[in-house]
Amino acid sequence: MIVAFGTDHGGFPIREAVLRAIRDTGHEPLDFGVQHPDPVDYPDIAEKVVDAVLGGRAERAILLCGSGVGMCVVANKFPGIRACVCHDPYSAGQGVRHDDMNVLCLGGRVIGAALAEELVRVFLAASFDRFERHRRRLEKIETIERRLLGLDGRQSESPEAVA
Ligand code: RB5
């Protein structure tokens, strides 16, 4: 699959390891940079990478920053993106199988190259378990997204908030 990729300076130390793991597992990175360790603003990178997924140019994405958190926060602002920081293999795989996670976020100041490679391998090898309970939960997330976007004709507050 095509895997959109982006990093800021904080994720730079594991950049090459992640790209190598994408290629070594038979996938193709779509690299949005950065290719240097100079400071940049992670929202600028995350937006480009996420746009590639939402626009259909990539199936999944991997984002790196110092902790993984900043990239994750930005990515999840975009409806249709299900991003998470996963620094353990169980979450990296289960996040795809149960939650259809489509963006993996990693922290280059938290984990090293070997663990980053393992997490990428697990993330890319996993596929969504299409059990009814998982699809039902995803549909609930999509319902929330439509409500927040005002696409269902309702206000953006939750029913509880306006009751
Ligand atoms: C950059 O110093 C750092 O804030 C960024 O890489 C990221 O960790 C934010 O979450």
Side-chain angles (χ1 to χ4, degrees):
M1 73 178 88
I2 307 287
V3 183
F5 170 86
T7 183
D8 75 353
H9 52 293
F12 194 77
I14 58 171
R15 171 191 156 84
E16 291 310 317
V18 168
L19 288 171
R20 184 169 56 243
I22 294 171
R23 292 193 187 98
D24 285 355
T25 48
H27 304 287
E28 185 183 335
L30 182 57
D31 185 0
F32 288 90
V34 290
Q35 281 107 2
H36 56 75
D38 303 331
V40 292
D41 295 337
Y42 61 82
D44 300 336
I45 311 294
E47 185 173 15
K48 291 178 196 166
V49 169
V50 158
D51 277 347
V53 175
L54 294 175
R57 282 191 291 153
E59 196 171 321
R60 294 187 197 171
I62 298 176
L63 287 167
L64 316 179
C65 63
S67 62
V69 173
M71 288 293 198
C72 186
V73 168
V74 179
N76 280 314
K77 298 291 179 194
F78 292 76
I81 292 298
R82 293 171 296 279
C84 198
V85 181
C86 297
H87 285 160
D88 67 279
Y90 177 78
S91 302
Q94 197 244 28
V96 177
R97 291 193 303 275
H98 288 202
D99 312 315
D100 206 13
M101 174 174 67
N102 51 11
V103 179
L104 175 67
C105 302
L106 302 175
R109 294 174 183 161
V110 183
I111 60 170
L115 180 53
E117 287 188 42
E118 182 181 357
L119 294 166
V120 170
R121 288 170 188 275
V122 171
F123 170 62
L124 296 179
S127 52
F128 181 51
D129 290 340
R130 308 196 71 81
F131 295 120
E132 193 280 332
R133 66 184 185 281
H134 298 319
R135 284 191 282 109
R136 182 181 69 236
R137 292 161 189 160
L138 277 187
E139 282 164 15
K140 290 187 177 189
I141 294 170
E142 288 163 4
T143 298
I144 293 168
E145 288 178 334
R146 281 194 298 276
R147 176 164 56 79
L148 294 173
L149 287 168
L151 296 178
D152 65 352
R154 294 167 57 198
Q155 290 185 319
S156 61
E157 291 94 347
S158 68
E160 291 76 13
V162 296

